[in-house]
Amino acid sequence: ACSEFSQRSCEECLKNVLCLWCYTNNTCVDYPVRSILPPSSLCSLSNARWGVCWINFEALIIAIAVVAGLILVSIAVCCCYCFYRRRHSR
C-alpha cells in the first residue's frame, strides 16, 4: 500500500506507479485511477507529484497539452501542405 511510504521521501513513494506524493503533508497516497486528475481534496495539483518528483502535476499537464497541441498543429500543416501540392500539380 502507498500509505506505507508516507513521511519518507517522494522518491521512495513514486517507485510504485500507482502512488501519488503530496508535498503539502508529505503523504504517499494511492492514485485515484477512476478519475484522470486527483481531486483537490486529496492534494492540490501544484503540490502533487506523480511519476517524477521534480515536476508538479500542474506543470506536467501543461507540458503534455503543449506537446499534444504541437503535434496536432504539425499534422494539420502537413495535411494542408500535401493537399495544396496535390491540387496544384494537376
Side-chain angles (χ1 to χ4, degrees):
C2 295
S3 59
E4 294 174 10
F5 297 103
S6 290
Q7 304 302 328
R8 290 191 187 174
S9 72
C10 177
E11 289 79 15
E12 286 184 51
C13 172
L14 297 183
K15 285 180 183 175
N16 183 350
V17 295
L18 298 176
C19 295
L20 176 79
W21 179 259
C22 186
Y23 269 112
T24 306
N25 50 8
N26 291 331
T27 54
C28 187
V29 294
D30 293 319
Y31 187 87
V33 290
R34 288 191 178 96
S35 60
I36 296 173
L37 299 175
S40 59
S41 60
L42 185 63
C43 189
S44 67
L45 291 180
S46 60
N47 288 316
R49 304 295 191 268
W50 180 72
V52 291
C53 294
W54 52 270
I55 188 167
N56 66 34
F57 213 90
E58 208 170 32
L60 186 65
I61 292 168
I62 292 169
I64 289 172
V66 167
V67 169
L70 288 173
I71 289 170
L72 289 174
V73 167
S74 299
I75 290 171
V77 167
C78 286
C79 289
C80 290
Y81 178 75
C82 291
F83 179 74
Y84 177 79
R85 295 255 316 167
R86 184 184 220 184
R87 196 167 184 199
H88 285 293
S89 66
R90 289 182 183 173

